[in-house]
Amino acid sequence: MLAKRIIPCLDVKDGRTVKGTKFLDLRDAGDAVELARIYTKTGADELVFLDIAATNENRSTLVELVRRVAGEINIPFTVGGGIRTIDDIAALLEAGAHKVLRICMDADLGGHGADDGDGCSAGAGFPRRRNGG
């Protein structure tokens, strides 16, 4: 039987952790660095950090915030949101992420992947229908 793991996810917008339903009706849930510290101290096995606005705002993930979170935890750390290039992946890994999650909102996933050759990136798709298609 597989062991149960606790993997909290910090959804981050404008540098703050937020909570909502399907990324709507967002409300402030606190400071990402402080929450990461609390989750680590209370037994989380891994932490996921998603900059939920980065892709829609056409910007990279908040690398400095990732660096601050990474400096406070000692558990595996996965980061996603706003990742478009190998340089984005490298910046996040250098900031302290252990893994990088590239999320693609486009239903046509072909040609959107990046092979960085070191096994530290993953992909996820959340396709949406366009024009009833």
Side-chain angles (χ1 to χ4, degrees), residues 30-116:
D31 178 67
V33 177
E34 181 61 26
L35 289 171
R37 187 180 306 124
I38 291 168
Y39 282 130
T40 300
K41 287 182 180 179
T42 57
D45 297 301
E46 182 173 344
L47 184 68
V48 176
F49 173 112
L50 296 177
D51 187 337
I52 63 171
T55 299
N56 286 342
E57 293 174 0
N58 198 31
R59 63 168 173 77
S60 297
T61 300
L62 302 170
V63 176
E64 187 52 40
L65 184 56
V66 169
R67 186 180 324 283
R68 290 179 34 226
V69 168
E72 295 293 327
I73 63 175
N74 60 357
I75 57 177
F77 184 33
T78 301
V79 177
I83 299 161
R84 297 178 301 274
T85 68
I86 295 297
D87 289 339
D88 291 338
I89 293 170
L92 293 170
L93 294 172
E94 288 171 11
H98 294 100
K99 293 182 275 186
V100 174
L101 176 64
R102 184 167 189 265
I103 299 172
C104 183
M105 301 299 284
D106 191 334
D108 176 18
L109 299 177
H112 289 277
D115 179 15
D116 58 11

Side-chain angles (χ1 to χ4, degrees), residues 114-128:
D115 179 15
D116 58 11
D118 61 9
C120 59
S121 64
F126 298 92
R128 295 182 180 160

